[in-house]
């Protein structure tokens, strides 16, 4: 049986600021190194190229000590498995080398089924002192329905995949049997295991160098420091109650949804009230509560102080209220596959609500979700393949800067798959990958230019899932600016129309995704003439736009 360090033992440690800073930085270094280990060891393009993974260290109470700067929404899955294990597992039975695996949004393992989490305890001198955790998005479970979660893939509650360092082969066999690309999964699992083992070694080395009591006490102090910084930042926002409402569209659901948010700032605390929003729907856009928490934490951190350490101390002054059974607090059996679609919009709504209070810190609405997936039998290898891409769009204009061109935004902070890697691994060709002229929302500070990515299918027929939010309602501009562009899926000659995002693309046929673009900020007539001329010269805008929208006399 393992022994736990008592709170009183940790509290009795006297720390100096230098030691606290050194240990706190070391914890961040550990999670960043774990993330690099997954990327370097991963097999699938989605992880090794798009870097769709995250890493966290939790203390023995399940509090986040350090989170790598990777994918903000992943925190929801990591929090979920930590909380579940703390509540449902007798920690005295946990042994060195035990590893929990999970992905189920409704039993604490994740926020959607593609994100598979590995949670491993850290022991030092026979005591459980921390948990190292990582998550990777596995490009699997494709060509499925999304009326409810039973259609979306294999549900894994938090269970031990390893016991005392020994793989439970029957569990692994069960998982792989339910995967469509098992040779990728097994190798990506090995990368995740390598990252956790590295994290265990690094944390143990930290305890050996400074002492277990010092490391844990420094961790507690880092949480308190993050809380103080967060409260100081929130206090700079004028007290008040702020509102925003918007309509939300997605091709995976036939109706528009009316969303609303109320933001209350009172002293050094902030409450995001999401009550009275639509009930969960028969589509994959629902968010479980931990996914909503992760989204809100990102939004508040961006506005208050991006330099705040991403840990549980930062979370303390932030409160989130959402009705159970709603799209922001979905319960079983709600489908959750594309939960970031509505999450991206929630960030924009929080920003817009607070634009009346802190206009200098916010940006206009940004690109929405733009997921594109090709799958089928690879004609060269004879194996099933999955190509998954979250197509970037652009950022909304800001108070003193244009929005960024060709980027992903908010909670989906992944890279793209380089063309060379994509074409080497999958039977497709990238024919166009370009910024789209005139796509940024016009304003005194314009929204960024979105991108077009056109794919040609080679030597087989692919099943395609493509589409994105903002296909009907564009990302909004602020303070007299114009809206951005809507999402558009461009079908090549001979490609039948998609139904609820889904369709087939035959050999030699093309499909292109053009994600929505960010709205502008401020009246476009007030834009600096030199900036308009620069945009015109660099072909960001057309001559007609320069004349008609910006009023340039040319």
């Amino acid at each position: 049986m393992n022994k736990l360090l008592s709170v009183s033992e940790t509290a009795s440690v006297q720390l100096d600021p230098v030691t606290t800073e050194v240990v706190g930085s070391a914890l961040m270094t550990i999670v960043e190194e774990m993330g690099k280990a997954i990327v370097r060891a991963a097999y699938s393009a989605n992880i090794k190229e798009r870097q769709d993974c995250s890493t966290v260290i939790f203390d023995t109470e399940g509090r986040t000590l350090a989170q790598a700067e990777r994918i903000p929404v992943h925190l929801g899955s990591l929090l979920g498995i930590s909380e579940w294990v703390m509540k449902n597992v007798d920690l005295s039975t946990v042994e060195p080398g035990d590893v929990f695996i999970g992905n189920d949004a409704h039993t604490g393992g994740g926020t959607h089924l593609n994100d598979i989490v590995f949670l491993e305890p850290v022991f030092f001198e026979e005591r459980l002192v921390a948990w190292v955790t990582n998550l990777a998005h596995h490009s699997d479970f494709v060509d499925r329905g999304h009326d409810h979660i039973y259609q979306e893939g294999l549900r894994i509650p938090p269970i031990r995949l390893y016991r005392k360092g020994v793989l439970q082969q029957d569990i692994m066999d069960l998982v792989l049997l339910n995967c469509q690309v098992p040779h990728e999964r097994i190798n990506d699992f090995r990368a995740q295991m390598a990252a956790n083992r590295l994290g265990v070694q690094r944390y143990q080395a930290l305890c050996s160098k400074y002492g277990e009591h010092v490391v844990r006490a420094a961790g507690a102090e880092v949480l308190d420091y993050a809380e103080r910084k967060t409260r100081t930042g929130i206090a700079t926002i004028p007290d008040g109650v702020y509102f925003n409402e918007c309509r939300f569209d997605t091709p995976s659901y036939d109706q528009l949804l009316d969303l609303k948010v109320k933001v209350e700032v009172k002293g050094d605390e902030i409450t995001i009230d999401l009550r009275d929003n639509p009930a969960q729907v028969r589509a994959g856009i629902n968010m479980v509560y931990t996914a909503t928490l992760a989204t809100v934490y990102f939004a508040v951190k961006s506005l208050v102080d991006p330099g705040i350490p991403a840990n549980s101390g930062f979370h303390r002054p932030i409160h989130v209220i959402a009705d159970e059974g709603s799209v922001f607090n979905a319960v079983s059996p709600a489908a959750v596959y594309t939960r970031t679609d509505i999450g991206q919009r929630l960030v924009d709504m929080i920003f817009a609500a607070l634009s009346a209070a802190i206009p200098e810190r916010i940006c206009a609405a940004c690109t929405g979700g733009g997921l594109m997936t090709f799958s089928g039998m690879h004609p060269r290898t004879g194996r099933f393949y999955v190509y998954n891409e979250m197509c970037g769009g652009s950022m909304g204009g800001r108070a003193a800067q244009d929005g960024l061109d060709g980027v992903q935004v908010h909670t989906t902070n992944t890279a793209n798959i380089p063309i060379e890697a994509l074409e080497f691994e999958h039977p497709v060709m990238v024919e166009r990958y370009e910024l789209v002229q005139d796509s940024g929302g016009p304003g005194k500070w314009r929204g960024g230019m979105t991108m077009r990515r056109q794919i040609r299918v080679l030597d087989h027929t692919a099943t395609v899932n493509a589409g994105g939010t903002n296909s009907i309602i564009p990302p909004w501009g602020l303070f007299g600016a114009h809206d951005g562009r809507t999402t558009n899926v461009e079908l090549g000659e001979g490609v039948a129309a998609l139904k609820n995002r889904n369709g087939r693309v035959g050999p030699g046929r093309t499909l292109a995704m053009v994600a929505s673009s960010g709205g502008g900020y401020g009246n476009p007539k007030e834009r600096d003439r030199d900036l308009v001329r620069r945009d015109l010269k660099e072909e960001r805008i057309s001559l007609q736009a320069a004349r008609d929208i910006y009023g340039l006399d040319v």
Side-chain angles (χ1 to χ4, degrees), residues 389-406:
E389 186 91 62
M390 179 62 77
C391 296
S394 68
M395 184 179 181
R398 296 164 282 180
Q401 297 182 73
D402 294 335
L404 296 175
D405 300 327

Side-chain angles (χ1 to χ4, degrees), residues 105-343:
H106 299 302
T107 54
T111 59
H112 78 160
L113 300 185
N114 298 78
D115 289 346
I116 299 180
V117 186
F118 280 42
L119 174 72
E120 183 169 356
V122 181
F123 283 82
F124 183 75
E125 295 180 351
E126 300 185 352
R127 292 212 250 203
L128 175 61
V129 294
W131 299 82
V132 292
T133 317
N134 73 70
L135 175 156
H137 176 107
H138 293 262
S139 292
D140 216 297
F141 309 147
V142 295
D143 193 15
R144 295 171 182 262
H146 299 283
D147 284 342
H148 47 73
I149 199 167
Y150 297 106
Q151 296 179 342
E152 296 193 310
L154 175 65
R155 300 174 66 186
I156 310 170
I159 54 175
R160 286 176 173 90
L161 180 62
Y162 286 77
R163 291 181 179 270
K164 298 183 181 180
V166 178
L167 173 66
Q168 306 303 289
Q169 190 62 50
D170 54 349
I171 294 177
M172 180 64 81
D173 291 343
L174 174 64
V175 172
L176 295 178
L177 182 64
N178 285 274
C179 292
Q180 293 171 269
V181 197
H183 67 282
E184 284 189 358
R185 301 292 71 73
I186 184 64
N187 289 297
D188 287 340
F189 287 158
R190 289 167 179 160
Q192 288 184 259
M193 279 301 304
N196 268 6
R197 294 292 163 82
L198 176 64
V200 169
Q201 293 171 8
R202 293 291 189 263
Y203 195 95
Q204 290 172 335
L206 196 64
C207 290
S208 295
K209 183 173 183 179
Y210 294 100
E212 171 195 343
H213 293 66
V214 170
V215 171
R216 286 170 59 92
E221 175 55 33
V222 169
L223 300 187
D224 292 342
Y225 167 73
E227 179 183 0
R228 292 193 297 269
K229 285 205 72 175
T230 306
R231 290 187 181 279
T232 299
I234 293 173
T236 65
I237 303 174
D239 281 4
V241 180
Y242 307 95
F243 300 89
N244 183 254
E245 297 182 0
C246 78
R247 307 203 83 186
F248 172 79
D249 70 90
T250 169
S252 60
Y253 191 66
D254 291 337
Q255 302 175 28
L256 296 178
L257 296 179
D258 294 311
L259 305 179
K260 61 183 69 174
V261 62
K262 180 171 75 172
V263 181
E264 182 176 2
V265 180
K266 188 175 182 179
D268 59 3
E269 300 203 349
I270 187 168
T271 298
I272 309 297
D273 189 340
L274 299 170
R275 287 175 292 191
D276 301 322
N277 271 290
Q280 62 193 48
V281 297
R282 289 177 67 86
I285 61 172
N286 304 291
M287 301 178 74
V288 295
Y289 186 65
T290 53
T292 299
L293 284 179
T295 303
V296 169
Y297 293 154
F298 164 81
V300 174
K301 188 173 189 287
S302 299
L303 297 176
V304 167
D305 183 352
I308 295 171
N311 61 42
S312 289
F314 152 63
H315 305 158
R316 292 170 186 166
I318 304 170
H319 311 289
V320 181
I321 307 170
D323 294 325
E324 191 172 84
S326 70
V327 291
F328 291 117
N329 187 6
V331 297
S332 181
V336 293
Y337 177 63
T338 52
R339 81 277 188 234
T340 53
D341 283 3
I342 204 166

